[in-house]
Amino acid sequence: MDPVFIDIIALVLLFLGMLGTFLPILPGLLLSICGLLIFKFGTENEMPMMYVWIFVLLTIISTVLNYVIPAKTNKKYGGTRYGSIGSFIGTLLGLFLIPIPLGFLIGMLLGVFLGELIHDFSDTKKAFNSMKGALIGFVYGTGFNMMVGLAMFLVVGYYIFF
């Protein structure tokens, strides 16, 4: 297969992977790691195998952190299990029922808020704090994913163009 075509496929997957770090409809770093692997094993390049192992490790760490960070920040800001369940349901509903680019995020935040209100209807301050914790967790997790995806994109881009 033509190496230029493989380079283009790898770059497209890496770009889509970066988009997927904040759009839950795309599998984020999974697309990025696929682009990296296609580039590494589909072309003759000088990229060290160590980069592949580092990025695989960072992808695994990121996957674990995507579950740990939101739970920890939600708990730190006073959230309960009801808020976590609301977050999950809200994300799914927001993804499909709020037809704007960040509908999933709006759905997640509303889900956390409503979940906390179901737990304790009289404590809206706690519900707002839990919502703030969920947003901070989302930003941390997304930021880490974006940095890993961007690093993969830049490494592959370096070996393609330089």
Side-chain angles (χ1 to χ4, degrees), residues 25-75:
I25 198 159
L26 295 173
L29 289 182
L30 181 61
L31 286 174
S32 292
I33 203 76
C34 287
L36 180 88
L37 292 172
I38 286 171
F39 173 73
K40 174 64 181 159
F41 298 113
T43 63
E44 293 182 21
N45 59 68
E46 297 180 14
M47 184 173 77
M49 192 62 192
M50 180 61 75
Y51 285 142
V52 174
W53 290 115
I54 289 170
F55 285 126
V56 165
L57 180 64
L58 286 172
T59 299
I60 292 168
I61 290 170
S62 176
T63 301
V64 171
L65 288 178
N66 280 339
Y67 292 102
V68 173
I69 288 175
K72 293 290 184 186
T73 55
N74 187 27
K75 187 175 182 180

Side-chain angles (χ1 to χ4, degrees), residues 1 12 31 36-37 40 44 63 75 80 85-86 88 91 93 100 105 124 128-129 145 152 155 158 160-162:
M1 192 176 275
V12 166
L31 286 174
L36 180 88
L37 292 172
K40 174 64 181 159
E44 293 182 21
T63 301
K75 187 175 182 180
T80 65
I85 293 169
F88 178 74
T91 300
L93 291 176
I100 59 173
L105 182 60
T124 57
F128 275 115
N129 280 339
N145 287 346
M152 281 189 229
V155 166
Y158 173 80
I160 288 174
F161 297 111
F162 297 108

Side-chain angles (χ1 to χ4, degrees), residues 77 113 117 120-131:
Y77 284 87
F113 184 75
L117 285 181
D120 185 3
F121 190 73
S122 64
D123 197 355
T124 57
K125 183 177 180 182
K126 182 179 175 185
F128 275 115
N129 280 339
S130 181
M131 193 170 67

